[in-house]
Amino acid sequence: MNDILIIGTVALDTIETPFGKVEKTLGGSATYASFAASFFSNPALISVVGDDFPKNYIDLLKKRNVDIDGLKITGKTFHWDGFYEYDMNEAKTRKTELNSLEQFKVEMPERYKNTKYVFLANIDPEQQLETLRQMNKPDFAVLDTMNFWITSKRDSLMEVIKKVDVLLLNDGEARQLFKTASLVKAANEALRTGPKAVIIKKGEHGALLFTKNKHFSAPSYPLENIKDPTGCGDCFGGAFIGYLAKTKDLSEPNFRKAIIYGSVVASHNAEDFGLNRLKHLTMNDIEKRYKEFQDIREF
Ligand code: AMP
């Protein structure tokens, strides 16, 4: 039985970093998020790919026990082409080819509708809203987005924000969405809109959790070899909700642990291109780095 539903993109990514280039490799927000969540829980995925999508990528998702009955196949796969300079906190987009994503109508298998935990990973906010509409009141919803949708669909995005429990943003997106230089102001503004918690991801500098009365600052991991940060935000979100679904504890202290698990999986993900690192990641690797994180913040 699935315990998390993830809607987002399943993509072919062309990525260039100072350490190499890959063309049309497996990517997408739902792919990274469901890979990361699968270490803790049983995610099901809703998305669309085209007839050009390689079968071995489908096999890879199945191998990680991701339920892909909600993956439609039609037209041409969404393609993102981006690059990073030495400041790898910021992805620069060369091309976003929505392809089959543009006409994608969310339709979910009947058995998905009662899933308790939902991750609205980065995709068109109208498709995120439609997912919530089709579900029978999930217990817990987490939302992620990016600059592309903040620019093109701000009103719909604000509608989704009102309906979720946790909002994830990176620092640049938080400033852009709430039109302020202050992350604290942005977080407070978001909290007034609806969510009980806002998490601001700061790439290699850690993450901040804001709730009504509390503030937690998660440390960053001193990663020596970063090759490709693509998907780190999605891994963070997937592991975060994956851990919460596993422990069934939605308290603020448990959010803190979930944030560290999110940071652990995201930091591993950056060590290699695409999903190459996650493909071989084990729960032992995750627990080992979780302990290192505990050590980093002890004083
Ligand atoms: P992240 O690095 O975690 O922010 O996400 C990277 C992933 O987002 C890549 O694998 C892309 O395929 C995907 N992506 C890029 N642009 C978009 C977009 N406009 N909507 C949804 N997903 C996207």
Side-chain angles (χ1 to χ4, degrees):
M1 170 70 188
N2 303 308
D3 42 16
I4 305 177
L5 182 60
I6 298 176
I7 175 164
T9 51
V10 175
L12 294 175
D13 284 348
T14 297
I15 308 163
E16 191 172 358
T17 82
F19 308 103
K21 183 167 182 179
V22 287
E23 304 228 7
K24 297 211 167 172
T25 194
L26 175 61
S29 57
T31 309
Y32 282 104
S34 53
F35 251 71
S38 71
F39 287 99
F40 306 92
S41 303
N42 300 305
L45 177 152
I46 299 179
S47 196
V48 63
V49 291
D51 304 316
D52 55 338
F53 192 69
K55 187 180 169 302
N56 59 319
Y57 290 169
I58 302 249
D59 294 341
L60 214 57
L61 283 159
K62 283 190 186 157
K63 217 170 126 191
R64 278 239 53 94
N65 288 325
V66 178
D67 180 339
I68 55 164
D69 284 358
L71 182 67
K72 264 193 202 167
I73 304 180
T74 175
K76 200 173 167 203
T77 307
F78 170 71
H79 176 222
W80 178 71
D81 183 339
F83 68 100
Y84 301 82
E85 289 165 340
Y86 275 107
D87 175 4
M88 295 225 264
N89 283 321
E90 199 195 345
K92 305 221 171 79
T93 297
R94 279 200 184 103
K95 248 190 300 185
T96 302
E97 294 169 331
L98 294 175
N99 298 332
S100 52
L101 198 68
E102 206 157 9
Q103 305 297 328
F104 175 49
K105 296 259 173 297
V106 173
E107 268 171 322
M108 62 180 80
E110 217 33 56
R111 65 195 170 80
Y112 282 15
K113 295 188 175 170
N114 287 320
T115 315
K116 298 289 177 215
Y117 291 75
V118 55
F119 183 25
L120 307 171
N122 184 21
I123 198 168
D124 187 330
E126 284 166 26
Q127 290 157 349
Q128 294 174 322
L129 272 175
E130 185 53 29
T131 302
L132 287 181
R133 260 186 227 121
Q134 290 184 24
M135 295 187 75
N136 298 326
K137 277 204 173 301
D139 287 352
F140 185 71
V142 178
L143 168 68
D144 191 14
T145 191
M146 74 180 280
N147 51 9
F148 185 88
W149 304 113
I150 296 174
T151 309
S152 60
K153 301 238 171 145
R154 191 172 190 281
D155 292 347
S156 307
L157 180 60
M158 292 311 290
E159 278 307 301
V160 202
I161 292 177
K162 284 184 199 159
K163 297 183 191 308
V164 298
D165 299 280
V166 177
L167 171 63
L168 304 179
L169 289 170
N170 68 31
D171 42 2
E173 291 157 0
R175 291 190 176 102
Q176 182 189 1
L177 183 57
F178 294 102
K179 301 187 176 88
T180 170
S182 158
L183 294 180
V184 180
K185 277 193 183 150
N188 285 334
E189 193 59 42
L191 288 174
R192 273 193 287 277
T193 313
K196 295 185 226 15
V198 178
I199 297 171
I200 299 187
K201 301 164 283 174
K202 296 172 62 187
E204 60 184 328
H205 306 299
L208 303 171
L209 166 68
F210 295 88
T211 51
K212 198 161 166 243
N213 301 314
K214 286 198 164 182
H215 172 210
F216 169 64
S217 174
S220 65
Y221 183 78
L223 197 61
E224 199 170 337
N225 294 309
I226 304 183
K227 275 196 188 158
D228 171 21
T230 305
C232 283
D234 314 310
C235 286
F236 179 97
F240 173 78
I241 196 166
Y243 178 74
L244 291 176
K246 177 185 170 186
T247 52
K248 299 187 176 58
D249 172 357
L250 298 175
S251 66
E252 198 267 353
N254 205 46
F255 274 20
R256 296 183 179 212
K257 291 183 183 158
I259 285 174
I260 302 300
Y261 277 109
S263 308
V264 166
V265 178
S267 68
H268 275 295
N269 177 60
E271 289 171 350
D272 207 344
F273 277 88
L275 285 139
N276 287 345
R277 179 67 187 101
L278 254 48
K279 272 192 267 184
H280 305 289
L281 191 67
T282 64
M283 208 53 214
N284 271 347
D285 299 328
I286 293 176
E287 294 297 0
K288 187 163 167 263
R289 192 165 287 182
Y290 183 88
K291 289 203 174 71
E292 288 182 64
F293 263 90
Q294 283 178 319
D295 189 49
I296 288 170
R297 50 170 301 180
E298 196 99 49
F299 63 89

PDB file of all heavy atoms in Angstrom, residues 119-130:
ATOM      1  N   PHE A 119       2.965  14.890  -1.710  1.00  0.00           N
ATOM      2  CA  PHE A 119       4.031  15.845  -2.029  1.00  0.00           C
ATOM      3  C   PHE A 119       3.731  16.441  -3.395  1.00  0.00           C
ATOM      4  O   PHE A 119       3.783  15.751  -4.414  1.00  0.00           O
ATOM      5  CB  PHE A 119       5.392  15.154  -2.022  1.00  0.00           C
ATOM      6  CG  PHE A 119       6.553  16.101  -2.272  1.00  0.00           C
ATOM      7  CD1 PHE A 119       6.470  17.465  -1.987  1.00  0.00           C
ATOM      8  CD2 PHE A 119       7.753  15.625  -2.786  1.00  0.00           C
ATOM      9  CE1 PHE A 119       7.532  18.342  -2.215  1.00  0.00           C
ATOM     10  CE2 PHE A 119       8.830  16.486  -3.010  1.00  0.00           C
ATOM     11  CZ  PHE A 119       8.715  17.845  -2.726  1.00  0.00           C
ATOM     12  N   LEU A 120       3.374  17.737  -3.402  1.00  0.00           N
ATOM     13  CA  LEU A 120       3.168  18.457  -4.653  1.00  0.00           C
ATOM     14  C   LEU A 120       4.530  18.994  -5.061  1.00  0.00           C
ATOM     15  O   LEU A 120       4.912  20.107  -4.700  1.00  0.00           O
ATOM     16  CB  LEU A 120       2.159  19.599  -4.428  1.00  0.00           C
ATOM     17  CG  LEU A 120       0.826  19.182  -3.785  1.00  0.00           C
ATOM     18  CD1 LEU A 120      -0.007  20.407  -3.410  1.00  0.00           C
ATOM     19  CD2 LEU A 120       0.037  18.277  -4.739  1.00  0.00           C
ATOM     20  N   ALA A 121       5.274  18.154  -5.744  1.00  0.00           N
ATOM     21  CA  ALA A 121       6.624  18.555  -6.164  1.00  0.00           C
ATOM     22  C   ALA A 121       6.495  19.541  -7.323  1.00  0.00           C
ATOM     23  O   ALA A 121       5.403  19.765  -7.862  1.00  0.00           O
ATOM     24  CB  ALA A 121       7.438  17.327  -6.550  1.00  0.00           C
ATOM     25  N   ASN A 122       7.609  20.093  -7.696  1.00  0.00           N
ATOM     26  CA  ASN A 122       7.654  21.163  -8.688  1.00  0.00           C
ATOM     27  C   ASN A 122       7.005  20.769 -10.027  1.00  0.00           C
ATOM     28  O   ASN A 122       7.480  19.878 -10.728  1.00  0.00           O
ATOM     29  CB  ASN A 122       9.139  21.492  -8.869  1.00  0.00           C
ATOM     30  CG  ASN A 122       9.377  22.637  -9.796  1.00  0.00           C
ATOM     31  OD1 ASN A 122       8.486  23.454 -10.022  1.00  0.00           O
ATOM     32  ND2 ASN A 122      10.580  22.683 -10.343  1.00  0.00           N
ATOM     33  N   ILE A 123       5.888  21.429 -10.348  1.00  0.00           N
ATOM     34  CA  ILE A 123       5.146  21.224 -11.598  1.00  0.00           C
ATOM     35  C   ILE A 123       4.168  22.400 -11.686  1.00  0.00           C
ATOM     36  O   ILE A 123       4.093  23.220 -10.757  1.00  0.00           O
ATOM     37  CB  ILE A 123       4.407  19.843 -11.594  1.00  0.00           C
ATOM     38  CG1 ILE A 123       3.998  19.402 -12.998  1.00  0.00           C
ATOM     39  CG2 ILE A 123       3.224  19.825 -10.636  1.00  0.00           C
ATOM     40  CD1 ILE A 123       3.546  17.948 -13.099  1.00  0.00           C
ATOM     41  N   ASP A 124       3.412  22.507 -12.756  1.00  0.00           N
ATOM     42  CA  ASP A 124       2.423  23.577 -12.911  1.00  0.00           C
ATOM     43  C   ASP A 124       1.484  23.624 -11.686  1.00  0.00           C
ATOM     44  O   ASP A 124       0.860  22.617 -11.346  1.00  0.00           O
ATOM     45  CB  ASP A 124       1.619  23.277 -14.194  1.00  0.00           C
ATOM     46  CG  ASP A 124       0.656  24.396 -14.565  1.00  0.00           C
ATOM     47  OD1 ASP A 124       0.170  25.087 -13.653  1.00  0.00           O
ATOM     48  OD2 ASP A 124       0.391  24.552 -15.764  1.00  0.00           O
ATOM     49  N   PRO A 125       1.354  24.783 -11.023  1.00  0.00           N
ATOM     50  CA  PRO A 125       0.486  24.863  -9.836  1.00  0.00           C
ATOM     51  C   PRO A 125      -0.961  24.487 -10.116  1.00  0.00           C
ATOM     52  O   PRO A 125      -1.665  24.012  -9.212  1.00  0.00           O
ATOM     53  CB  PRO A 125       0.584  26.325  -9.406  1.00  0.00           C
ATOM     54  CG  PRO A 125       1.551  26.995 -10.287  1.00  0.00           C
ATOM     55  CD  PRO A 125       2.094  26.025 -11.281  1.00  0.00           C
ATOM     56  N   GLU A 126      -1.424  24.634 -11.342  1.00  0.00           N
ATOM     57  CA  GLU A 126      -2.803  24.217 -11.640  1.00  0.00           C
ATOM     58  C   GLU A 126      -2.928  22.698 -11.545  1.00  0.00           C
ATOM     59  O   GLU A 126      -3.955  22.164 -11.119  1.00  0.00           O
ATOM     60  CB  GLU A 126      -3.224  24.731 -13.020  1.00  0.00           C
ATOM     61  CG  GLU A 126      -3.544  26.219 -12.938  1.00  0.00           C
ATOM     62  CD  GLU A 126      -3.649  26.905 -14.278  1.00  0.00           C
ATOM     63  OE1 GLU A 126      -3.958  26.242 -15.281  1.00  0.00           O
ATOM     64  OE2 GLU A 126      -3.421  28.138 -14.306  1.00  0.00           O
ATOM     65  N   GLN A 127      -1.858  21.999 -11.933  1.00  0.00           N
ATOM     66  CA  GLN A 127      -1.866  20.536 -11.810  1.00  0.00           C
ATOM     67  C   GLN A 127      -1.733  20.124 -10.340  1.00  0.00           C
ATOM     68  O   GLN A 127      -2.302  19.110  -9.917  1.00  0.00           O
ATOM     69  CB  GLN A 127      -0.754  19.941 -12.685  1.00  0.00           C
ATOM     70  CG  GLN A 127      -1.089  20.088 -14.171  1.00  0.00           C
ATOM     71  CD  GLN A 127       0.119  20.056 -15.095  1.00  0.00           C
ATOM     72  OE1 GLN A 127       1.265  20.124 -14.659  1.00  0.00           O
ATOM     73  NE2 GLN A 127      -0.136  19.972 -16.393  1.00  0.00           N
ATOM     74  N   GLN A 128      -1.031  20.935  -9.565  1.00  0.00           N
ATOM     75  CA  GLN A 128      -0.942  20.655  -8.116  1.00  0.00           C
ATOM     76  C   GLN A 128      -2.324  20.814  -7.477  1.00  0.00           C
ATOM     77  O   GLN A 128      -2.758  19.977  -6.681  1.00  0.00           O
ATOM     78  CB  GLN A 128       0.068  21.613  -7.464  1.00  0.00           C
ATOM     79  CG  GLN A 128       1.505  21.379  -7.940  1.00  0.00           C
ATOM     80  CD  GLN A 128       2.487  22.425  -7.405  1.00  0.00           C
ATOM     81  OE1 GLN A 128       2.153  23.602  -7.311  1.00  0.00           O
ATOM     82  NE2 GLN A 128       3.689  21.993  -7.084  1.00  0.00           N
ATOM     83  N   LEU A 129      -3.031  21.897  -7.859  1.00  0.00           N
ATOM     84  CA  LEU A 129      -4.370  22.136  -7.311  1.00  0.00           C
ATOM     85  C   LEU A 129      -5.331  21.010  -7.676  1.00  0.00           C
ATOM     86  O   LEU A 129      -6.106  20.532  -6.853  1.00  0.00           O
ATOM     87  CB  LEU A 129      -4.929  23.450  -7.874  1.00  0.00           C
ATOM     88  CG  LEU A 129      -4.600  24.744  -7.139  1.00  0.00           C
ATOM     89  CD1 LEU A 129      -5.133  25.945  -7.912  1.00  0.00           C
ATOM     90  CD2 LEU A 129      -5.150  24.746  -5.715  1.00  0.00           C
ATOM     91  N   GLU A 130      -5.257  20.591  -8.938  1.00  0.00           N
ATOM     92  CA  GLU A 130      -6.144  19.532  -9.420  1.00  0.00           C
ATOM     93  C   GLU A 130      -5.893  18.222  -8.660  1.00  0.00           C
ATOM     94  O   GLU A 130      -6.821  17.470  -8.368  1.00  0.00           O
ATOM     95  CB  GLU A 130      -5.954  19.354 -10.935  1.00  0.00           C
ATOM     96  CG  GLU A 130      -6.883  18.373 -11.605  1.00  0.00           C
ATOM     97  CD  GLU A 130      -8.376  18.634 -11.340  1.00  0.00           C
ATOM     98  OE1 GLU A 130      -8.757  19.790 -11.123  1.00  0.00           O
ATOM     99  OE2 GLU A 130      -9.145  17.646 -11.318  1.00  0.00           O
TER     100      GLU A 130
END
